[in-house]
Amino acid sequence: MRILHTSDWHIGRTFHGHSTLEALRGVLAELTAQVQQHDVDVVIVAGDVFDSSAPAGDCYVLLTDTLRGLADAGARVIVTSGNHDSAARLGFQAGLLRDGISVVTDPASVGTPITIADEHGPVHFYGIPYLEPALLRHVWPEVRTQEGALTHAMDLVRDDLARRRATESGTRAVAIAHCFAAGVEPTPQLERDIQQGGLDVVPLKAFDGVDYAALGHIHGRQRLAEHIRYAGAPLHYSFGEGDKPRGSWLVELDADGCADITWLALPVPRRVVTLTAPLDELLSDERYEGEREAWVCAEYTDDLPQRDPLRRLQERFPHCAKVVHRPAQIAPADGMTYAQRVRAARSDRELVEAFLVHVREGVGASEAEQELIDDVLAARVRVEAAA
């Protein structure tokens, strides 16, 4: 059996104010073509199908078109909800979907598999929707954390699996979950935090007993163990993801479990790059010529903020979406507050210098600026003397 593990589609997400819907449509069309090309039997979408709990209408259109395309390509499809999804909205039409498409959003279904057989016997797919501990306490009173919720869910999976293995031959199992697992490297400022103080990191031993664990939530591919993996998102949704490949895992099961796992790359509609240099270099240096069509985050390293940097950069890089002033040298903090600097000033010149050091994060006036300040202060003295 061939299984394609994907996750975190985030349909409806914007990239610095720009819609990603059409770019995602093209990538998911390529994923559908890969399903047909590689004779995939089952496609897993491990949570965060939508980017919000109330997606716009065109987001539902894209999801419907993609699920229909995957089914038409010959694959069974199993979708679970993530922390960005509204389980109710994602699952409201689950009972009306065509045969071969399953959407798992109800915690009450945990431990009840979707079973698909191949020539070796049954493969049980245990979908685990995102489990919010606070909403489960009336059902699972002992649950207080994500770790506890996932461990309890997997205990239900193992109990059901043990009963089935006692009477079936060739039984294999795949778990699908949306969580932080121990050992992951999250993308800074991207994946919404579903842990509290590190207590909700799910240990890898929680996934013992299954042949493969298809995880979602982390946007970059990661292999935590040979049979425990994240596929990541199909698009780059932040500049922090720029160095992470996009794609999905092609998992092949034989009679004994995982026989082979291969990475299938997806196309990147527009590269995501971060360029760091003085502003004049970013605007003129030939080595950046190849980045004109990329999404650009420009970090300019001038000592002082520059005038209208975004507009100027967009003249060279039409898709410059973010500008950050990141001085190459930052003066060490002296521990003084602005009020202390003002009180310590013994002249108007020192008062102006105290202000500049405060607003420029430790950088005072340059030599040319000092000359200008002296001229202005001298002119003020002349005006006051003539009054």
Side-chain angles (χ1 to χ4, degrees), residues 235-259:
L235 279 184
H236 291 117
Y237 288 118
S238 81
F239 285 105
E241 296 179 74
D243 60 342
K244 295 177 178 171
R246 305 288 85 171
S248 52
W249 293 112
L250 180 62
V251 181
E252 188 160 354
L253 300 183
D254 63 11
D256 299 318
C258 277

Side-chain angles (χ1 to χ4, degrees), residues 91-384:
F92 85 98
Q93 59 180 352
L96 304 176
L97 292 171
R98 60 190 281 184
D99 289 343
I101 301 174
S102 302
V103 179
V104 181
T105 62
D106 185 358
S109 69
V110 172
T112 302
I114 297 163
T115 301
I116 303 170
D118 64 7
E119 67 271 24
H120 305 295
V123 179
H124 301 298
F125 292 85
Y126 292 92
I128 302 174
Y130 173 64
L131 301 174
E132 173 57 59
L135 301 180
L136 294 171
R137 287 173 190 166
H138 67 291
V139 181
W140 301 342
E142 69 279 15
V143 166
R144 290 291 183 272
T145 65
Q146 271 286 301
E147 176 185 353
L150 260 296
T151 299
H152 183 76
M154 285 301 300
D155 286 342
L156 295 176
V157 168
R158 282 184 284 269
D159 289 347
D160 181 80
L161 192 54
R163 289 192 294 270
R164 294 176 185 275
R165 282 177 168 160
T167 58
E168 297 173 349
S169 60
T171 299
R172 289 140 298 156
V174 175
I176 308 164
H178 195 86
C179 63
F180 273 118
V184 300
E185 296 178 5
T187 306
Q189 301 177 341
L190 182 62
E191 291 99 358
R192 187 171 298 170
D193 196 4
I194 55 173
Q195 59 176 331
Q196 297 176 358
L199 297 178
D200 285 355
V201 173
V202 179
L204 297 188
K205 63 182 177 62
F207 299 102
D208 287 350
V210 296
D211 296 283
Y212 184 75
L215 304 184
H217 185 58
I218 302 301
H219 285 201
R221 72 175 184 189
Q222 294 190 39
R223 180 173 67 87
L224 306 182
E226 187 59 28
H227 71 296
I228 305 174
R229 303 190 183 214
Y230 287 94
L235 279 184
H236 291 117
Y237 288 118
S238 81
F239 285 105
E241 296 179 74
D243 60 342
K244 295 177 178 171
R246 305 288 85 171
S248 52
W249 293 112
L250 180 62
V251 181
E252 188 160 354
L253 300 183
D254 63 11
D256 299 318
C258 277
D260 186 57
I261 302 177
T262 306
W263 178 253
L264 294 184
L266 285 169
V268 176
R270 191 181 304 283
R271 292 186 308 110
V272 174
V273 299
T274 299
L275 307 179
T276 305
L279 184 60
D280 284 345
E281 285 188 24
L282 293 174
L283 294 173
S284 60
D285 198 304
E286 287 298 317
R287 73 178 186 273
Y288 302 121
E289 189 63 26
E291 314 298 350
R292 282 186 177 272
E293 296 306 314
W295 287 116
V296 171
C297 170
E299 297 181 342
Y300 71 95
T301 59
D302 305 59
D303 289 339
L304 302 177
Q306 299 298 299
R307 178 180 55 81
D308 205 5
L310 179 60
R311 180 191 60 77
R312 294 162 68 187
L313 284 160
Q314 285 178 338
E315 291 177 357
R316 185 176 194 192
F317 307 109
H319 305 287
C320 181
K322 182 179 180 181
V323 177
V324 179
H325 179 218
R326 200 177 300 283
Q329 297 183 349
I330 299 177
D334 59 10
M336 294 180 67
T337 66
Y338 179 53
Q340 288 171 331
R341 289 193 181 98
V342 169
R343 285 195 295 268
R346 296 184 299 275
S347 66
D348 288 344
R349 182 178 182 181
E350 290 185 3
L351 187 60
V352 173
E353 180 71 6
F355 172 76
L356 293 175
V357 168
H358 175 70
V359 299
R360 293 176 173 179
E361 298 182 350
V363 179
S366 66
E367 185 175 340
E369 288 172 334
Q370 277 291 7
E371 292 179 2
L372 180 60
I373 292 168
D374 289 342
D375 289 343
V376 171
L377 293 176
R380 175 174 172 267
V381 169
R382 289 194 297 270
V383 170
E384 290 177 347

